[in-house]
């Protein structure tokens, strides 16, 4: 799965994370341990995610 955070104020500012997943997965914003406020984070960063099958084909997309 590839998760991308895109800065809403500067679209060229992105954080991309690739992680292995299996079966059902919930994707959301990181906990407050990493950021001052989840609400502030969601207003500043847009979250999108792509899930791939074993052959590398995109099987699900969210937040695009």
């Amino acid at each position: 799965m590839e998760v991308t955070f895109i800065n809403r104020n500067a679209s060229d500012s992105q954080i991309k994370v690739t992680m292995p997943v299996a079966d059902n997965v919930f994707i959301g914003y990181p906990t407050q341990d990493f950021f001052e406020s989840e609400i502030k984070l969601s207003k500043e960063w847009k979250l999108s995610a792509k899930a791939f099958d074993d052959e590398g084909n995109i099987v699900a997309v969210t937040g695009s």
Side-chain angles (χ1 to χ4, degrees):
M1 173 167 289
E2 179 182 277
V3 179
T4 305
F5 291 91
I6 302 170
N7 188 305
R8 294 181 190 271
N9 300 316
S11 61
D12 59 334
S13 179
Q14 298 184 4
I15 301 170
K16 285 193 176 196
V17 179
T18 302
M19 64 186 91
V21 296
D23 300 324
N24 297 325
V25 176
F26 175 79
I27 300 294
Y29 290 96
T31 63
Q32 288 184 4
D33 295 342
F34 296 102
F35 297 95
E36 180 181 320
S37 161
E38 291 177 41
I39 294 170
K40 184 177 176 184
L41 175 68
S42 68
K43 288 180 179 179
E44 184 176 348
W45 294 90
K46 177 182 173 185
L47 171 69
S48 65
K50 294 179 187 176
F52 301 88
D53 64 14
D54 291 336
E55 297 172 359
N57 300 310
I58 297 173
V59 294
V61 176
T62 185
S64 48

